């Protein structure tokens, strides 16, 4: 028996045989060729096939893991269309007279290294994405180079040097018991996807990964970060009991449907769900969320080749509002830019896109785009309990400008005889240090705050959570981040408005008591986390 320690990435316990995925480096051979043109045509055909496959994966991911987690595949499609990358592949084929597979892998290593060494944090995060799209190309060139994870023949614990997002999202949950990786962090794309899909996972085994054996009986404890190879009888029995207890716990959570998240001392917390597509409403209702605390509207722009019309947006918002049957739905206006790009926006390349032309900055700069969305939202308010939320706010002036536009939209619709709810709420995301510091003034302008802890943590600590060199410094529990949240909560209470949390740490049960204590009124999480969080609140004294 051998016990290994990694990073706990996704809760749950799995017991089964290990499927060890061979590194591509060991499978790609360098072969001489004579027909350069034919080999280049193979690459071009593979590119078309890979692009079509990524589009299918993206649409499937929207339904399975939501809009935010599926955005990575839109980035991959754009990277796949990069001329420099394909010029490097063609040059390698022409200059060295080698096979397409070898040329793709060489270009992948070259570009991945180049991205990894860049100063800009966003660009460094693209290093793993280059490897992912290259794997996709290779599987199109030669099916034998496919990871095979989407067509496992029997249940297994999957072990790989690293799992790319496209590999993770395509996993057959009925076959994949768990996964372990040599690389990765708790905040990597694959780890986040594993949690969304409820697959136990341990990542970042590092040197201990070499101890794994294909076909070996293995235990994975995704809650503790433990991987046990060839367990003895006593250990096996112990973990079988733990697994059964975990599964029973999941069943017990179902009994909480229809109840409220109220502490033993009578403090009630609203538990809502984050979604990114109208199709996610089914999951929200299935998990008995109190409402939708964050509906990301970007999917309308990411799924289209051009700006979505007012009517297209109206129908999407109306569908969700009607589907929630009177429960509140908070819709965030478009938050494009940074890592969510659409070609037709024509956003110039930026040195630091995370702090650049994005979100409300685009909306207020391109008012015709913003007004179209506001008209669709206000019209939809007649079909349910709507609240509108604005992202990336850094000043009171921005909020006043938004309200002026919103009032003009209401006046125009009234003049046109279009029905809408007169009293829907408006709020802002607290996700920048500026919005926290100004929260006493901002609270006078809106009906609610919603703290986006992902960006607030990133901006407060100056840490890119996708940068593996410093990802350990990305800490939503950092005292500075918690003080920021507390300051916003105090100012919200003074102004008589409510405040919620919609970032990933809303589901961190280690922080639930803190949120209750400082007066947070609402937590919005992935649909699958709603019942666990409700249970946590109910158990608080």
């Amino acid at each position: 028996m051998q016990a290994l320690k990694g990073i706990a990435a996704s809760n749950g316990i799995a017991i089964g045989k290990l499927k060890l995925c061979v590194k591509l480096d060991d499978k790609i051979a360098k072969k001489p060729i004579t027909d350069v043109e034919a080999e280049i045509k193979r690459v071009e055909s593979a590119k078309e096939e890979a692009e079509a496959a990524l589009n299918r994966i993206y649409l499937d991911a929207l339904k399975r893991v939501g809009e935010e987690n599926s955005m990575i595949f839109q980035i991959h499609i754009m990277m796949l269309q990069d001329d420099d990358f394909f010029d490097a592949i063609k040059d390698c084929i022409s200059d060295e007279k080698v096979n397409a597979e070898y040329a793709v892998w060489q270009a992948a290593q070259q570009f991945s290294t180049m991205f990894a060494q860049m100063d800009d944090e966003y660009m460094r995060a693209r290093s793993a994405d280059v490897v992912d799209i290259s794997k996709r190309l290779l599987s199109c060139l030669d099916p034998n180079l496919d990871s095979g994870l989407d067509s496992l023949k029997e249940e297994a614990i999957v072990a790989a040097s690293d799992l790319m997002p496209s590999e993770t999202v395509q996993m057959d949950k009925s076959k994949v018991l768990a996964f372990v990786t040599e690389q990765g962090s708790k905040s990597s794309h694959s780890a986040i996807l594993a949690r969304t899909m409820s697959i136990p996972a341990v990542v970042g085994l590092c040197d201990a990964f070499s101890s794994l054996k294909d076909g070996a009986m293995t235990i994975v404890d995704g809650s503790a970060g433990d991987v046990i190879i060839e367990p003895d009888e006593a250990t096996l029995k112990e973990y079988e009991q733990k697994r059964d207890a975990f599964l029973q716990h999941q069943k017990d959570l179902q009994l909480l449907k229809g109840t409220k998240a109220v502490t033993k001392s009578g403090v009630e917390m609203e538990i809502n769900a984050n979604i990114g597509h109208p199709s996610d409403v089914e999951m929200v209702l299935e998990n008995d969320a109190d409402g939708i605390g964050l509906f990301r509207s970007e999917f309308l722009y990411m799924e289209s080749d051009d700006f979505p019309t007012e009517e297209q947006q109206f129908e999407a918002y109306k569908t969700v509002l009607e589907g929630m049957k009177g429960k509140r739905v908070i819709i965030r206006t478009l938050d494009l830019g940074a890592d969510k790009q659409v070609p037709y926006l024509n956003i110039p390349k930026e040195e630091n896109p995370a702090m650049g032309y994005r979100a409300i900055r685009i909306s207020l700069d391109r008012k015709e785009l913003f007004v179209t969305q506001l008209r669709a939202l206000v019209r939809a308010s007649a079909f349910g309990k709507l609240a509108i939320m604005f992202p990336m706010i850094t000043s009171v002036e921005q909020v006043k400008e938004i309200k002026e536009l919103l009032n003009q939209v209401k006046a125009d619709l009234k003049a046109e005889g279009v029905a809408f709810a007169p009293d829907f709420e408006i709020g802002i995301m607290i996700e920048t240090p500026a919005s926290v510091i100004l929260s006493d003034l901002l609270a006078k302008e809106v009906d609610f705050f919603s703290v986006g802890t992902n960006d607030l943590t990133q901006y407060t600590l100056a840490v890119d959570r996708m940068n593996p060199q410093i990802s350990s410094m990305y800490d939503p529990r950092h005292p500075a981040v918690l003080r920021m949240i507390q300051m916003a909560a105090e100012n919200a209470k003074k102004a008589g408005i409510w405040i919620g949390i919609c970032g990933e740490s809303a589901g961190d049960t280690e922080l639930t008591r803190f949120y209750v204590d400082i007066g947070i009124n609402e937590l919005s999480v992935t649909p699958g986390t709603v019942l666990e969080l409700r249970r946590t609140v109910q158990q608080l004294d």
Side-chain angles (χ1 to χ4, degrees), residues 169-442:
V169 81
Q170 290 181 96
M171 285 181 173
D172 182 349
K173 282 183 64 175
S174 67
K175 296 288 194 300
V176 178
L177 299 173
F179 72 73
V180 296
T181 66
E182 178 181 11
Q183 302 171 38
S185 68
K186 190 168 184 175
S187 56
S188 66
H189 281 302
S190 290
I192 293 170
L193 286 169
R195 291 193 289 276
T196 304
M197 298 167 68
S198 300
I199 298 175
V202 174
V203 301
L205 280 178
C206 300
D207 294 341
F209 186 82
S210 59
S211 302
L212 300 181
K213 300 171 185 175
D214 190 54
M217 179 58 68
T218 305
I219 295 171
V220 174
D221 185 345
S223 308
D226 295 327
V227 178
I228 301 171
I229 310 299
E230 299 289 9
D232 57 36
E233 190 174 336
T235 302
L236 186 60
K237 186 175 181 180
E238 175 191 348
Y239 275 90
E240 284 174 344
Q241 291 173 346
K242 285 184 177 181
R243 179 191 59 190
D244 293 345
F246 180 82
L247 294 174
Q248 184 59 49
H249 173 70
Q250 299 304 305
K251 289 181 181 178
D252 292 343
L253 290 178
Q254 300 303 308
L255 301 175
L256 298 180
K257 289 181 177 179
T259 67
K260 292 291 183 182
V262 182
T263 68
K264 292 179 180 179
S265 54
V267 178
E268 184 171 349
M269 180 78 77
E270 190 175 321
I271 309 294
N272 290 329
N274 296 335
I275 68 168
H277 197 273
S279 60
D280 295 338
V281 169
E282 185 179 339
M283 285 194 297
V284 176
L285 297 174
E286 183 182 326
N287 287 280
D288 195 40
D290 295 323
I292 293 174
L294 171 61
F295 176 24
R296 307 176 186 91
S297 63
E298 291 79 47
F299 81 95
L300 287 158
Y301 301 82
M302 303 295 289
E303 286 185 352
S304 177
D305 295 328
D306 201 353
F307 297 106
T309 65
E310 178 184 326
E311 204 60 33
Q312 287 172 320
Q313 296 188 61
F314 165 70
E315 287 297 334
Y317 305 146
K318 176 187 173 186
T319 297
V320 174
L321 284 160
E322 288 183 328
M324 289 304 295
K325 301 172 183 176
K327 293 184 176 181
R328 181 171 54 201
V329 176
I330 301 174
I331 301 178
R332 183 181 69 188
T333 58
L334 71 91
D335 187 4
L336 293 174
D339 61 342
K340 290 177 281 189
Q341 301 282 348
V342 290
Y344 56 83
L345 264 179
N346 296 315
I347 297 176
K349 184 178 179 181
E350 299 176 293
E351 288 298 322
N352 194 345
M355 295 187 181
Y357 188 59
R358 59 173 295 195
I360 202 65
R361 298 169 182 178
I362 295 175
S363 296
L364 291 177
D365 183 47
R366 305 189 186 187
K367 290 190 174 62
E368 72 289 347
L369 177 70
F370 194 30
V371 167
T372 298
Q373 182 171 35
L374 290 177
R375 282 180 59 91
L377 285 164
V378 175
R379 286 174 58 196
S381 69
F383 297 89
K385 189 176 181 180
L386 172 72
I388 305 176
M389 180 163 67
F390 305 98
M392 203 66 184
I393 297 298
T394 55
S395 72
V396 174
E397 288 71 28
Q398 285 175 324
V399 179
K400 288 183 176 179
E401 187 175 358
I402 290 167
K403 289 170 73 175
E404 286 178 12
L405 286 170
L406 192 55
N407 287 333
Q408 185 59 54
V409 165
K410 287 181 179 180
D412 291 345
L413 289 173
K414 187 175 181 180
E416 295 167 21
V418 178
F420 60 87
D423 57 352
F424 57 82
E425 295 176 301
I426 64 166
I428 61 170
M429 290 195 71
I430 299 293
E431 53 187 338
T432 64
S435 63
V436 174
I437 294 166
L438 295 174
S439 57
D440 58 332
L441 302 177
L442 291 167

Side-chain angles (χ1 to χ4, degrees), residues 111-118 123-124 127 469:
F111 276 72
S112 177
T113 301
M114 178 183 72
F115 277 120
Q117 293 175 346
M118 287 184 175
M123 299 308 291
R124 281 202 298 271
S127 177
Q469 289 180 297

Side-chain angles (χ1 to χ4, degrees), residues 4-5 33 191 198 247 251 327 344 455 462 470 481:
L4 311 176
K5 194 71 176 179
I33 58 150
S198 300
L247 294 174
K251 289 181 181 178
K327 293 184 176 181
Y344 56 83
D455 272 338
I470 56 172
V481 177

Side-chain angles (χ1 to χ4, degrees), residues 482 485-487 489-490 493 499 501 513-520:
L482 300 185
I485 297 171
Q486 184 169 1
M487 185 187 300
E490 288 171 352
K493 185 177 181 180
I499 179 171
I501 310 279
R513 178 178 291 280
F514 169 75
Y515 290 145
V516 170
D517 288 346
I518 66 171
I520 297 297

Side-chain angles (χ1 to χ4, degrees), residues 141 379 484 519:
L141 285 166
R379 286 174 58 196
M484 286 273 187

